[in-house]
Amino acid sequence: MSPFAPHALLTGARLRPGDDPVDIRLRDGLLAEIGRGLTPFDAERHDAGGALAIPGLWDAHVHFGQWAAMARRVDVADTESPDEVVARVARHLAAERPAPGTVVQGFGWRVAGWDRLPSTAELDAVVRERPVILISGDCHAGWLSSAAFRALGLPVHEGHLDEDEWFPIYQRMADLPEDPAVVRASLDQAMRRAAAAGVVGVTDLEFETGRLEWPRRTAAGLDLLRVRTSTYPEGLEDAIAAGVRTGDVLDGTGLVTMGPLKVITDGSLNTRTAWCCEPFVTDDDLGDPRGKRNVDPEELTALLARAHAHGLEGAVHAIGDAALLDALDAYEASGARGTIEHAQLVRMEALQRFADLGLVASVQPAHLLDDRDSTEALWPDRLERCFALRSMTQAGIPLRLGSDAPVSPLDPWLAMSAAVHRSADEREPWAPEQALTPREALDASTDGVTEIAVGGPADIVLVDEDPCPAGLSGTTEQAARLRQTRVLATFVGGRMTHSA
């Protein structure tokens, strides 16, 4: 059964601030007509009450299952040492007393700023025979107890794991036993929170086989969002054998479509594994001086070429500037199309090439809030090249904003405000010359749909006021207006998925 409303009429909506209200007819998932005094016929009617209608918002980069699982995890964010992390875990175990055999998961620790690396032994000393898995705040590392390694059928490793050692374990976490009702409830709640923020769709870059998982979810009623799913190199041949191409509809609702091949070519700033042209600025030896290259350029080129030959676009994770150059080389050599995910540290001289290749920058502005201190400590000599949103826009590179949830909250208004103001506290914005305007940030959050127009998708958000008004005195006020925007209703395919 399709979740799209076969015929809905939205009355009294404004397309621009100050305009007279109009009626919007939504039929079979598309915007069919705009006018005044439209005949209802057999339509489901919704009174907008003069609210402003904007295109539905998208989050271009999420790990949705991991975001939903946050409700089931111990919060170990904002910790300053391994000792503080294990103390929080100990308090959780004492307070919650999880059943024997339950795998306890935590999220949020970041090694950047610590004066030493964590050890398996110190976690074991607190949790004993309890399986505990602690995921880093950037999802690029894991810290496990010995019992957790055994629960996964793996040899015990002394110390934390990152990148290519960690990601296979991260994938296997999906196989750990959990109450299906609890998992479903957390997915449903995460979808409702997204819809309440005006989100109509996400690009899900989760490690699971989303082309199989998401159709099962929509069939079970988890159908509040459009989902563009992905595959990783490990699943590429299966996807090719299944004959799925980017853009293909994968389920009976029409909500789930095939997305890209995701390749993680380097690490992250906070794990000190982003692959960089110059070494990190640090006086310790806790990591590789220039980060990690997870995929050789030849392998990356071959993967993109294989995907391109079978109709799949690419989504190449590149946080360091050396990783970005590798990705551009591979896209050019393979002829593939797609995105650079993150593009956190760029080479200015490479941006025109980025644009000429027709690639999209899928960026997560809220990371610049979380990463400010780490960036100033580890990349102080290249701040102007971090989150270079203005330079990318001026080069003609299309931007798509996302969250990378759970690394940052699945909140498009937070992402937009971060792109505009570039500060989360009393400090002045950093690299303010790289800021976007509110309108640019909004247009980068709607999956390329920049106006309400006949023939477009019936994915509409009603808001209480213009999020991008002219006349605000500066980026502080502009960002505050974006964060304070109130979503009154969200429609996906003409069906209301949220009402305030």
Side-chain angles (χ1 to χ4, degrees):
M1 178 181 176
S2 172
F4 300 149
H7 187 189
L9 187 66
L10 187 58
T11 61
R14 300 178 191 273
L15 301 186
R16 283 168 293 276
D19 283 3
D20 291 334
V22 296
D23 300 340
I24 304 173
R25 192 183 304 282
L26 310 172
R27 194 194 298 271
D28 297 327
L30 296 174
L31 200 157
E33 189 178 4
I34 298 174
R36 292 186 176 89
L38 297 184
T39 305
F41 299 122
D42 59 346
E44 181 179 287
R45 298 183 66 179
H46 303 280
D47 181 10
L52 182 69
I54 64 172
L57 304 178
W58 275 73
D59 190 313
H61 184 130
V62 305
H63 303 269
F64 201 84
Q66 297 299 319
W67 170 241
M70 290 293 286
R72 315 190 300 272
R73 289 178 173 160
V74 184
D75 181 5
V76 292
D78 302 318
T79 44
E80 297 182 358
S81 68
D83 300 300
E84 189 174 346
V85 172
V86 297
R88 285 198 194 179
V89 173
R91 288 196 295 270
H92 171 82
L93 295 177
E96 299 297 329
R97 297 186 178 276
T102 300
V103 178
V104 174
Q105 300 180 27
F107 178 86
W109 61 276
R110 295 174 186 261
V111 73
W114 291 4
D115 59 6
R116 66 179 179 85
L117 297 175
S119 73
T120 305
E122 66 186 310
L123 185 57
D124 285 349
V126 170
V127 306
R128 302 187 184 279
E129 290 304 309
R130 169 80 61 188
V132 174
I133 301 176
L134 304 176
I135 304 162
S136 68
D138 56 15
C139 298
H140 277 251
W143 179 12
L144 285 70
S145 69
S146 295
F149 281 109
R150 290 192 290 270
L152 291 165
L154 298 171
V156 175
H157 183 281
E158 176 52 41
H160 83 295
L161 300 164
D162 61 33
E163 304 304 328
D164 48 355
E165 290 185 303
W166 160 243
F167 288 133
I169 295 175
Y170 199 19
Q171 288 178 272
R172 292 181 67 169
M173 287 177 62
D175 299 329
L176 294 172
E178 288 195 272
D179 185 338
V182 173
V183 173
R184 188 192 188 286
S186 64
L187 287 166
D188 178 70
Q189 182 61 28
M191 291 186 120
R192 293 182 186 279
R193 289 169 60 192
V199 175
V200 300
V202 298
T203 298
D204 187 23
L205 300 173
E206 192 65 277
F207 282 117
E208 66 193 9
T209 307
R211 65 182 178 84
L212 302 179
E213 285 295 329
W214 275 108
R216 287 195 280 262
R217 289 171 183 163
T218 57
L222 294 167
D223 58 3
L224 298 183
L225 299 174
R226 297 186 187 274
V227 178
R228 187 175 294 137
T229 188
S230 63
T231 185
Y232 280 75
E234 296 81 1
L236 177 58
E237 293 306 317
D238 285 345
I240 290 171
V244 293
R245 303 166 70 90
T246 296
D248 285 355
V249 175
L250 300 178
D251 73 331
T253 70
L255 291 173
V256 182
T257 55
M258 189 63 202
L261 165 70
K262 171 75 181 294
V263 187
I264 302 176
T265 66
D266 75 333
S268 69
L269 169 65
N270 284 282
T271 310
R272 302 191 193 184
T273 49
W275 179 235
C276 300
C277 294
E278 293 88 21
F280 287 79
V281 177
T282 177
D283 58 2
D284 60 49
D285 58 355
L286 296 183
D288 298 302
R290 290 177 52 207
K292 285 188 176 182
R293 176 190 263 164
N294 291 333
V295 181
D296 290 335
E298 296 80 7
E299 181 185 357
L300 179 59
T301 299
L303 284 167
L304 289 177
R306 178 75 171 150
H308 180 58
H310 292 275
L312 292 168
E313 294 182 356
V316 178
H317 167 118
I319 286 183
D321 53 355
L324 172 64
L325 297 179
D326 283 350
L328 296 180
D329 288 345
Y331 269 118
E332 184 170 19
S334 66
R337 301 294 295 268
T339 63
I340 302 290
E341 300 294 323
H342 307 300
Q344 186 166 336
L345 176 66
V346 303
R347 307 295 298 188
M348 293 299 188
E349 64 272 18
L351 294 185
Q352 192 56 56
R353 184 179 173 214
F354 194 148
D356 291 344
L357 288 170
L359 301 174
V360 171
S362 173
V363 296
Q364 300 77 42
H367 288 357
L368 68 85
L369 309 180
D370 300 330
D371 286 356
R372 180 171 187 165
D373 293 335
S374 298
T375 303
E376 290 177 348
L378 299 172
W379 290 343
D381 54 342
R382 57 205 90 163
L383 295 178
E384 75 285 352
R385 296 190 284 117
C386 296
F387 302 100
L389 307 182
R390 167 60 51 207
S391 294
M392 286 190 273
T393 297
Q394 290 176 335
I397 301 167
L399 301 183
R400 297 289 183 267
L401 305 192
S403 64
D404 200 14
V407 182
S408 292
L410 203 170
D411 181 351
W413 303 102
L414 174 65
M416 285 185 265
S417 66
V420 168
H421 186 45
R422 299 179 70 92
S423 182
D425 50 36
E426 70 283 351
R427 290 179 289 181
E428 290 296 310
W430 61 291
E433 69 278 4
Q434 293 294 348
L436 298 181
T437 68
R439 176 56 57 183
E440 288 171 332
L442 180 61
D443 287 349
S445 303
T446 54
D447 202 44
V449 180
T450 57
E451 63 177 347
I452 303 292
V454 172
D459 300 342
I460 293 175
V461 177
L462 298 179
V463 294
D464 61 343
E465 59 183 358
D466 183 7
C468 309
L472 293 182
S473 59
T475 59
T476 301
E477 293 78 10
Q478 292 168 347
R481 172 62 68 87
L482 287 164
R483 289 194 304 272
Q484 292 163 7
T485 298
R486 182 168 177 247
V487 174
L488 303 176
T490 305
F491 295 84
V492 175
R495 180 174 61 109
M496 182 182 283
T497 57
H498 167 75
S499 174

